[in-house]
Amino acid sequence: MNAALVAALPGLAGNADLWTDEALVNAIWTGIFSSFFPTTSNPGTFLVCPEMIKGTVKESYVADLAIMQVSGAAPPTFRKPALCFEGKSSINPATWDKVEQQISDWTSKANIGMYGKIWGIGAKGSQFVIVAKDRTRDENWYFVSIGGAGPTFGNARVIYDITAAADIALLGPFLTFVTANPFPTIPRGIRDPLEATRMGPVAITHAGSDPYLKKIFALAQLHAALGSSREVFNADIIARGIKDETPTKKLTKDQFDFINTAITSVHLNSTEVVDGDQDVFDQTAMLAAMVNTRIAAINNEKNPNGYDITKAEDRLRMDNDAANGLFNSYNSQLGPFEVTKEFWTERQTHTYSTTTIQLDALGDLFASLALPEAELVKLLDTAKAFVNNMKNISLSIANKGVKNAKLINFIAVQAPVGNPDLAHVAVQRMIYIQFNQATSEWSTSCASHTNYTLDVTVFGMDVELNRQVVSLTYDHARKLICKDADITLDHLGSSGAGDVKNIQSNKAQPIGPAPINNG
């Protein structure tokens, strides 16, 4: 780091007026970044860009500073954001969560570097934190600690101070590391550090932690390649001695019904329906119901006292578990039945009249489905039911600060790549809506306020399923549900529990256009 700058920083500690001015905070960091990211004529150089805008006219975000790596022949033509900086004054009321969210919002609208990798630094006065994102690993942000052989990624926020000599000594080597490694690589095995602060104690359990399901899907993939029948597949499970030894606690009928109705399933009907499409839908919906029931039974065994259907706190926990668990299962190497998968995320904050919040918010959240407005209206009672559910829970729950979530599973049956001559397959668009307000705000705002600001993070995922694998596992899925829940096949039906909405979609590609790629 520039020697004069290093010498000056500790002396700024006692200058309170300096740190109460955001412009001066940003100016100091501009000087720091300019020392490490100089602009030269060489390929691979950097630009320190103030007030960089990303997004659209309707919804744009401004980074106080962005470090752009540029390359190509002079003048450089290829620019990739490597680091996003957000500065606040020491008297700004924004929390660290808010500062970090602003970094996340900006990067969601930027083409964030190589394979979706980027560093972030947030400052409040002289204090600062470091975060990083690596979309080749997952969609989460991780806190960064500096020192030693290099930066490490973890769950706990580490706060540094640029007026502290010890922290200045760590910052220089870190920024030198970033110049050589402008796009972070985060090792696997680290839990999302922001989940606990934003969602409360929501369990993440997926089939990757269930060795039995892993074996079943692996075997189904083999038999799908061989063209086996269900009878042959089921007989091979027995012949190989594959047994379910995963610890589970059987769900009661009421627990099963609550868990499976917590997730709304929507059947998108194409106008090009062929014989067998209903079977494809039934088998796909049964697979989702089986995974959902399995997750709940595993959670029930681990924490049976947390699945008391008579308690509002537990109903909220089960609601969150169902949404979070099923979405993460499909996003965390559930099994080989996945053919393709696309993932995206965005933050939405809008203010609505409480008399129209359900319809207006629904229209915004599901706009990417490209459904006609008349069809979106049919989903209105889905939003109303959820709002009413949250209001009722918030009246009796003791911990008013618990957040809530919702998962809606859209299933379309269509020909691959829109080719009507090929066998139809199921494509699922799972939309996980993470409501960032606490439960008490639902009750208060929806009951008495003229306007209500809905603040949500939307995670979306499209998954095309291997038709043969889904078909082979259908009988086994029904059997496994009845093992993990106190129900009969008559109660289960042909496509799992829960009401299914049938929505007429556009003629071509009923799942809608490809999701916006934010990275």
Side-chain angles (χ1 to χ4, degrees):
M1 192 182 299
N2 182 283
L5 188 60
V6 171
L9 287 174
L12 300 177
N15 192 337
D17 291 341
L18 173 67
W19 304 112
T20 60
D21 188 326
E22 180 175 318
L24 295 179
V25 171
N26 293 345
I28 290 172
W29 278 95
T30 301
I32 293 173
F33 290 142
S34 297
S35 298
F36 286 89
F37 303 98
T39 302
T40 70
S41 60
N42 298 324
T45 187
F46 297 91
L47 293 174
V48 180
C49 308
E51 299 296 313
M52 191 166 193
I53 300 175
K54 287 292 181 182
T56 63
V57 174
K58 180 179 178 181
E59 184 178 31
S60 62
Y61 298 97
V62 180
D64 286 337
L65 296 168
I67 309 299
M68 306 291 291
Q69 187 193 55
V70 296
S71 60
T77 57
F78 187 53
R79 298 175 295 277
K80 296 177 288 187
L83 187 149
C84 175
F85 172 83
E86 180 64 33
K88 303 291 183 187
S89 71
S90 59
I91 59 175
N92 191 301
T95 62
W96 284 116
D97 280 344
K98 179 65 175 178
V99 174
E100 292 152 4
Q101 186 61 54
Q102 286 185 256
I103 294 173
S104 178
D105 289 340
W106 184 83
T107 57
S108 72
K109 299 302 179 184
N111 183 15
I112 59 170
M114 186 178 295
Y115 311 114
K117 298 165 175 274
I118 194 166
W119 301 94
I121 295 181
K124 290 178 60 179
S126 64
Q127 295 184 323
F128 67 96
V129 298
I130 307 173
V131 295
K133 185 173 189 174
D134 176 1
R135 291 186 72 182
T136 64
R137 181 198 182 282
D138 56 32
E139 293 295 320
N140 303 317
W141 285 92
Y142 292 89
F143 296 115
V144 179
S145 59
I146 55 180
T152 57
F153 307 92
N155 302 336
R157 180 187 293 117
V158 182
I159 300 176
Y160 300 96
D161 194 311
I162 58 174
T163 64
D167 291 347
I168 295 173
L170 297 176
L171 180 61
F174 168 69
L175 293 179
T176 299
F177 178 89
V178 173
T179 60
N181 303 273
F183 308 109
T185 297
I186 301 175
R188 293 186 176 273
I190 305 171
R191 182 175 176 270
D192 175 6
L194 301 184
E195 184 212 26
T197 59
R198 292 181 183 167
M199 281 298 299
V202 180
I204 298 181
T205 305
H206 55 75
S209 61
D210 184 348
Y212 180 67
L213 278 191
K214 189 173 183 179
K215 292 177 182 178
I216 292 297
F217 287 130
L219 186 61
Q221 184 184 38
L222 173 63
H223 279 274
L226 295 174
S228 301
S229 66
R230 289 183 195 166
E231 291 75 16
V232 172
F233 168 67
N234 291 329
D236 197 18
I237 295 176
I238 299 173
R240 291 174 182 265
I242 300 176
K243 297 181 179 180
D244 182 7
E245 297 178 345
T246 302
T248 61
K249 180 176 173 59
K250 199 168 197 176
L251 302 175
T252 66
K253 179 179 176 298
D254 288 340
Q255 287 174 327
F256 172 82
D257 286 341
F258 181 88
I259 285 293
N260 282 281
T261 55
I263 294 176
T264 301
S265 292
V266 177
H267 186 185
L268 298 182
N269 289 323
S270 171
T271 56
E272 297 180 347
V273 177
V274 299
D275 291 341
D277 276 2
Q278 184 62 46
D279 288 340
V280 176
F281 170 79
D282 288 343
Q283 292 159 16
T284 305
M286 186 67 72
L287 177 68
M290 182 268 285
V291 176
N292 195 31
T293 303
R294 186 73 172 178
I295 292 167
I298 292 173
N299 286 340
N300 193 27
E301 193 277 333
K302 291 181 178 178
N303 183 24
N305 294 328
Y307 266 43
D308 186 344
I309 200 74
T310 65
K311 296 180 180 178
E313 288 85 352
D314 286 355
R315 292 199 303 275
L316 181 59
R317 182 194 303 276
M318 294 168 70
D319 217 350
N320 282 345
D321 280 358
N324 185 275
L326 185 59
F327 187 86
N328 275 284
S329 293
Y330 278 80
N331 191 44
S332 303
Q333 300 176 350
L334 174 62
F337 65 86
E338 291 180 356
V339 177
T340 59
K341 180 173 66 175
E342 293 187 74
F343 186 105
W344 77 103
T345 179
E346 60 180 285
R347 178 78 173 262
Q348 295 189 4
T349 304
H350 301 298
T351 300
Y352 306 96
S353 164
T354 54
T355 59
T356 61
I357 177 176
Q358 296 96 337
L359 180 60
D360 292 345
L362 198 67
D364 283 345
L365 293 173
F366 301 146
S368 65
L369 289 167
L371 295 175
E373 185 175 353
E375 301 301 332
L376 286 174
V377 171
K378 296 179 182 179
L379 295 174
L380 177 58
D381 60 335
T382 296
K384 284 183 177 179
F386 182 67
V387 172
N388 289 333
N389 180 43
M390 295 314 305
K391 285 169 61 178
N392 293 334
I393 290 177
S394 68
L395 293 176
S396 54
I397 192 170
N399 182 2
K400 300 293 186 181
V402 177
K403 308 296 170 48
N404 49 284
K406 181 69 175 176
L407 182 71
I408 299 185
N409 186 23
F410 294 87
I411 302 176
V413 180
Q414 62 192 60
V417 200
N419 188 337
D421 296 327
L422 298 179
H424 284 199
V425 298
V427 178
Q428 292 181 234
R429 170 163 289 182
M430 307 183 86
I431 298 184
Y432 176 90
I433 310 163
Q434 179 173 297
F435 293 84
N436 300 326
Q437 297 95 331
T439 56
S440 59
E441 297 182 46
W442 278 97
S443 178
T444 302
S445 299
C446 293
S448 60
H449 288 195
T450 302
N451 295 307
Y452 179 63
T453 299
L454 186 69
D455 183 17
V456 301
T457 302
V458 181
F459 299 87
M461 178 169 55
D462 287 351
V463 179
E464 182 178 324
L465 303 182
N466 183 307
R467 175 72 183 91
Q468 288 74 27
V469 171
V470 174
S471 178
L472 285 174
T473 56
Y474 179 68
D475 288 341
H476 194 74
R478 300 176 75 198
K479 179 181 178 181
L480 199 60
I481 291 174
C482 292
K483 174 183 179 296
D484 287 328
D486 191 15
I487 60 168
T488 64
L489 290 177
D490 289 339
H491 181 75
L492 184 60
S494 62
S495 57
D499 295 332
V500 175
K501 288 191 169 302
N502 288 287
I503 302 296
Q504 187 65 49
S505 68
N506 294 328
K507 182 175 182 179
Q509 294 298 317
I511 209 67
I516 298 173
N517 187 351
N518 292 326

